[in-house]
Amino acid sequence: MILRTCVLSAAIAVTLMSTSLPSAAQSAAQRAEQTANPLLGAWSTPDGVPPYDRIRPEHYEPAFDLAIAEARAQSQRIANDKTAPTFENTIEAMERAGRELSRVSSTFFTVASADATPANQAIQKAIAPKLARLSNETMLDQALFQRVDTLYKQRAELGLTPEQNRLLEQTHKRFVRAGAALPADARARVAAINEELANLGVQFGQKLLADQKANDVFLSAAEVEGLPADQLSTAAAAAEAAGKPGQYLFPATRSAAEPFLTAAPNRDAREKIWRAFSFRGDNDNANNTSAEIKRLVELRIERAKLMGADTHADFVLADSMAKTPDAAMELLMGVYQPALVRANEELADIQALAAKDGITDVQPWDWRYYAEQVRSQRFALDEAQVKQYMPLDGIVDAMFETTQKLFGLTAHERTDIPVYADGVRVFEIREADGRKVGLFYADWFARPTKRPGAWMNSIRVPNGLLGDTPIVVNNQNITPPAAGERALISLDEAQTLFHEFGHGLHGMLSTAHYPSLSGTAVSRDFVEFPSQVYEHWITEPTILQAHARNAAGEPMPKEMLESLLKAQTFNQGFSTIQQLSSAILDMRLHQLTELPADFDAGEWEAAQLRELGVPEQIGMRHRLPHFSHIFDGGYSASYYAYTWAEAMDADGFDAFKEAGNVFDPELAAKLRREVYEVGNTRDPAESYKAFRGRMPTAEALLRNRGLK
């Protein structure tokens, strides 16, 4: 997942605060503030990284206010320039504007998601409306839009390079899609909607995190009997730290819940964990997210109509590879139907096994437990034993070796870089000849203040215009090990590790000249391709043979490795239905043209699942009450993008298999050159075809999941 919470240039949507320009007296005060505030002025840190060792929460808001005022002044100078618009004095000037705001924003939002302390949450709540207001003022500024529009209409005569032309077209599109071409009253309403949406997204995210924390489950020794030792020791240490020695604490996170549901023999305990995880945001308390969901959808419907689109989904997908909701739904349903057949076959196997334990009514909290037993019998696999050969550090080494084999890049840990939280590691990524590519911050472990899920974000994007060296961040929620023990992860967590680093490479390797065309600034249904194709290498046998080792340093036994790889398509009916039901409901929700006054997200969700025929024992990967991708993560009407990109990643990896060498140097160089480096300097479909020679179909995806 790509987290897009901060703005990086005026062309992307530099935001402006609606205050007057600073007076001379204010400038003196600002200079004093700049001297005292480590966020402002020159950074003397190694490689100019954020000085997290000196930044305190009280520094952020003043820094935002000063940076916003500066960005506003810069944007107004461009808008009010009396000379005729040129590419240099308008488009390129916008690319240069707002650097201080970009720096403050990326520094703060990296922390806001990864360490959402009460202080950081208060800051986010305070600045969200300021940034939304700022974005509205810039993107709806008629003088600025007229300069962009004039150049857009003259673009054929301007003698622009292909990248400059792409930047001009994308900048113009952003203004139009922001509402700049609307009548004045509609622009004002769009601005108000955008500001309210920004506030609601923050509220949704903060409620979800609070409810997740409130849903911590403490279990007794009897309830956890039979769990693997690593889960027990971690849970015992967490409970002791929480002041409840002798008990076992399981947070309501995926990294804690899924391993428990897979391994716990105690059915009542499984139900407790499942309910805690599944009902985040859906409890009868102050953290219930239903009101935010209803209002978010209402506002998106209203804004789409103002923008001339039939629905929010139509508006969003007009700027995507899919182009229309119908095209996205065609792919989703084409995969959903065979997945449902497979899921019902899997359910029959689970019911037969559960019946031996006297269970005649298989429930959602039973599926993973009995599926693991089916897998164990069918492939002679024990998840707990497999994890003994999957230490986090070993899989990190596997990830870096893959990068070296594919792209010639090496990773070198840096201990001189200040970080924002304990446990964050920093690596310098270098070319084979030693040239620095960028810095990679790795924040892999869960903490109570971290938002759910896994994501990548950029602190600094590479570009030729400003000469910036990139800094990217990966976040995951791996359960921290007990003191003195190794962190052991599942294959699913290992794939997520590779996935997010694929995003990181996409963010670091860009050769775009302009910041707003750099790296991951591409459509949602293409941005997941570079990350998802990278996942394939974690199951490459030579990589696992070299790095999947137990505490004694012994490699994973050949029989276990072979069984693990054979089992890759096991339970794919379940996992596919979980993912696709979330994607389909996201699309259906955002194809609504109105909401009834008594709309209830939970009731609507249940009705949709019944209509789709989703087995109750499976359900959704992300239920609406905690679906942060679409309510607090920029993926509204876009969760289908993971499936769309999977059609590309499965087909794209087939190219390496067809070459007879999954590390084929010529093909790897082509993947880097045509996909990872180009950013948004051309249409994503062109990038994929430049790599593969054609567009993909769903065939490779179905084969990849074992559904064909």
Side-chain angles (χ1 to χ4, degrees):
M1 176 181 176
I2 294 289
L3 188 65
R4 295 180 182 169
T5 51
C6 55
V7 287
L8 298 174
S9 77
I12 294 177
V14 162
T15 47
L16 298 172
M17 184 175 65
S18 56
T19 58
S20 59
L21 292 176
S23 65
Q26 288 173 321
S27 296
Q30 289 173 355
R31 285 194 293 273
E33 169 62 32
Q34 187 167 325
T35 302
N37 193 325
L39 275 162
L40 301 170
W43 290 351
S44 59
T45 49
D47 292 287
V49 302
Y52 283 120
D53 55 336
R54 296 192 295 120
I55 298 171
R56 301 293 176 263
E58 59 268 23
H59 293 137
Y60 283 113
E61 253 194 285
F64 266 110
D65 287 344
L66 288 171
I68 284 170
E70 179 186 279
R72 182 173 193 260
Q74 292 170 336
S75 185
Q76 285 192 341
R77 281 196 293 272
I78 299 168
N80 298 326
D81 191 340
K82 300 303 181 184
T83 62
T86 65
F87 183 86
E88 290 73 19
N89 71 18
T90 301
I91 305 300
E92 196 165 280
M94 292 168 67
E95 289 292 294
R96 296 180 184 277
R99 293 203 73 190
E100 190 75 17
L101 179 58
S102 296
R103 194 168 67 156
V104 174
S105 294
S106 60
T107 299
F108 172 70
F109 283 111
T110 294
V111 177
S113 297
D115 194 21
T117 61
N120 286 336
Q121 287 187 324
I123 296 163
Q124 188 175 15
K125 194 170 183 178
I127 64 173
K130 295 179 182 181
L131 292 174
R133 219 169 295 139
L134 175 58
S135 179
N136 285 330
E137 290 187 17
T138 304
M139 302 308 290
L140 299 178
D141 185 305
Q142 290 301 283
L144 191 57
F145 175 57
Q146 286 305 315
R147 295 182 70 85
V148 173
D149 193 49
T150 297
L151 292 170
Y152 178 75
K153 291 172 180 175
Q154 298 173 349
R155 64 191 184 281
E157 293 82 44
L158 296 179
L160 303 177
T161 67
E163 184 175 346
Q164 289 173 330
N165 192 64
R166 176 74 172 174
L167 176 62
L168 174 54
E169 290 177 344
Q170 291 295 300
T171 302
H172 185 266
K173 181 192 294 184
R174 278 190 285 269
F175 272 89
V176 172
R177 288 178 62 80
L182 295 175
D185 57 343
R187 291 199 306 272
R189 181 59 190 147
V190 166
I193 289 172
N194 288 341
E195 187 169 337
E196 188 174 353
L197 285 171
N199 290 332
L200 286 165
V202 171
Q203 291 170 24
F204 181 93
Q206 293 188 354
K207 279 189 171 185
L208 177 55
L209 184 60
D211 209 40
Q212 177 175 287
K213 178 59 180 171
N215 279 14
D216 282 352
V217 179
F218 290 88
L219 298 177
S220 67
E223 290 176 304
V224 299
E225 188 174 347
L227 280 182
D230 64 300
Q231 288 192 45
L232 288 172
S233 61
T234 298
E240 186 164 355
K244 295 189 177 182
Q247 296 189 46
Y248 298 82
L249 168 58
F250 293 88
T253 62
R254 190 175 300 278
S255 62
E258 290 192 350
F260 184 94
L261 293 170
T262 300
N266 188 305
R267 193 186 190 206
D268 290 340
R270 292 201 305 269
E271 181 177 358
K272 287 181 183 180
I273 297 295
W274 180 85
R275 289 191 179 280
F277 178 67
S278 297
F279 282 83
R280 293 168 297 149
D282 195 22
N283 293 296
D284 187 16
N285 59 29
N287 296 320
N288 188 288
T289 60
S290 59
E292 283 75 17
I293 292 172
K294 184 173 185 288
R295 187 60 179 155
L296 281 161
V297 177
E298 287 174 339
L299 290 171
R300 288 168 179 171
I301 290 172
E302 182 184 357
R303 185 176 61 180
K305 290 178 180 177
L306 287 167
M307 297 300 299
D310 291 337
T311 68
H312 178 69
D314 285 285
F315 176 71
V316 169
L317 270 72
D319 190 29
S320 70
M321 290 185 74
K323 302 302 181 189
T324 68
D326 287 347
M329 286 294 286
E330 182 180 0
L331 174 64
L332 293 176
M333 297 309 296
V335 179
Y336 177 82
Q337 295 301 336
L340 185 59
V341 172
R342 177 61 56 82
N344 282 316
E345 293 171 353
E346 294 166 356
L347 177 58
D349 290 339
I350 286 169
Q351 287 172 328
L353 202 57
K356 295 180 180 179
D357 288 345
I359 297 174
T360 57
D361 59 333
V362 171
Q363 297 294 328
W365 48 88
D366 297 318
W367 188 292
R368 289 178 178 83
Y369 179 72
Y370 285 103
E372 178 60 20
Q373 292 192 36
V374 173
R375 188 179 81 131
S376 180
Q377 292 178 6
R378 191 169 296 172
F379 300 101
L381 281 175
D382 181 328
E383 178 69 16
Q385 287 300 312
V386 170
K387 287 181 70 174
Q388 295 301 315
Y389 292 89
M390 300 284 284
L392 174 61
D393 285 347
I395 303 306
V396 170
D397 289 343
M399 182 176 78
F400 288 145
E401 183 184 336
T402 297
T403 308
Q404 191 276 327
K405 284 188 170 184
L406 286 172
F407 306 130
L409 303 174
T410 57
H412 308 267
E413 188 154 15
R414 294 276 298 269
T415 58
D416 60 328
I417 302 292
V419 295
Y420 54 84
D422 291 341
V424 178
R425 299 169 67 185
V426 182
F427 299 85
E428 181 178 304
I429 307 301
R430 299 175 189 164
E431 297 280 11
D433 61 8
R435 284 179 296 124
K436 184 186 302 178
V437 171
L439 295 177
F440 168 62
Y441 286 49
D443 189 356
W444 289 314
F445 291 114
R447 64 178 67 88
T449 53
K450 184 184 281 190
R451 63 173 287 174
W455 65 92
M456 169 267 183
N457 65 276
S458 293
I459 293 178
R460 203 164 59 204
V461 298
N463 65 90
L465 181 69
L466 305 173
D468 291 330
T469 301
I471 305 173
V472 301
V473 185
N474 275 185
N475 272 274
Q476 214 163 321
N477 270 281
I478 295 170
T479 301
E485 297 189 13
R486 302 186 308 162
L488 302 176
I489 64 176
S490 65
L491 182 59
D492 182 66
E493 288 174 316
Q495 289 170 326
T496 301
L497 194 81
F498 270 58
H499 176 102
E500 297 304 335
F501 193 61
H503 280 312
L505 290 171
H506 195 194
M508 280 188 285
L509 294 178
S510 177
T511 58
H513 185 70
Y514 295 104
S516 33
L517 297 179
S518 179
T520 61
V522 298
S523 63
R524 286 289 187 195
D525 49 9
F526 186 72
V527 77
E528 298 299 336
F529 167 59
S531 57
Q532 289 181 191
V533 74
Y534 194 79
E535 288 181 44
H536 288 270
W537 276 277
I538 182 54
T539 51
E540 165 56 28
T542 58
I543 290 294
L544 285 173
Q545 286 165 355
H547 299 285
R549 295 176 177 268
N550 65 12
E554 300 164 338
M556 182 180 289
K558 181 181 178 182
E559 296 78 10
M560 181 183 289
L561 176 59
E562 291 175 350
S563 294
L564 185 65
L565 297 178
K566 287 178 182 177
Q568 281 300 286
T569 57
F570 175 74
N571 209 38
Q572 278 297 313
F574 170 87
S575 59
T576 304
I577 291 298
Q578 277 217 319
Q579 179 182 335
L580 293 188
S581 60
S582 295
I584 291 167
L585 264 65
D586 166 39
M587 194 64 71
R588 286 185 174 184
L589 182 66
H590 289 109
Q591 284 183 289
L592 296 176
T593 56
E594 61 180 352
L595 285 186
D598 61 349
F599 176 81
D600 179 271
E603 292 178 2
W604 185 88
E605 172 188 288
Q608 295 296 312
L609 294 178
R610 285 194 300 271
E611 191 273 328
L612 279 170
V614 174
E616 292 181 2
Q617 298 90 342
I618 297 179
M620 303 168 68
R621 180 172 177 84
H622 305 286
R623 292 191 57 231
L624 294 182
H626 53 251
F627 205 166
S628 56
H629 284 76
I630 67 172
F631 297 125
D632 182 35
Y635 277 70
S636 62
S638 295
Y639 193 68
Y640 81 93
Y642 290 95
T643 306
W644 188 275
E646 189 179 347
M648 289 187 285
D649 81 64
D651 180 66
F653 192 69
D654 274 356
F656 285 89
K657 292 190 287 188
E658 291 163 10
N661 175 12
V662 298
F663 294 104
D664 183 85
E666 188 174 326
L667 199 55
K670 193 175 185 183
L671 178 64
R672 175 174 175 171
R673 182 178 66 251
E674 304 295 353
V675 175
Y676 286 94
E677 291 185 352
V678 298
N680 196 21
T681 59
R682 65 185 178 201
D683 185 271
E686 293 180 28
S687 294
Y688 186 81
K689 286 187 286 188
F691 163 63
R692 190 66 168 110
R694 54 169 173 73
M695 290 299 289
T697 66
E699 296 298 307
L701 183 159
L702 293 170
R703 287 198 309 272
N704 188 54
R705 290 191 172 231
L707 300 175
K708 185 175 178 63

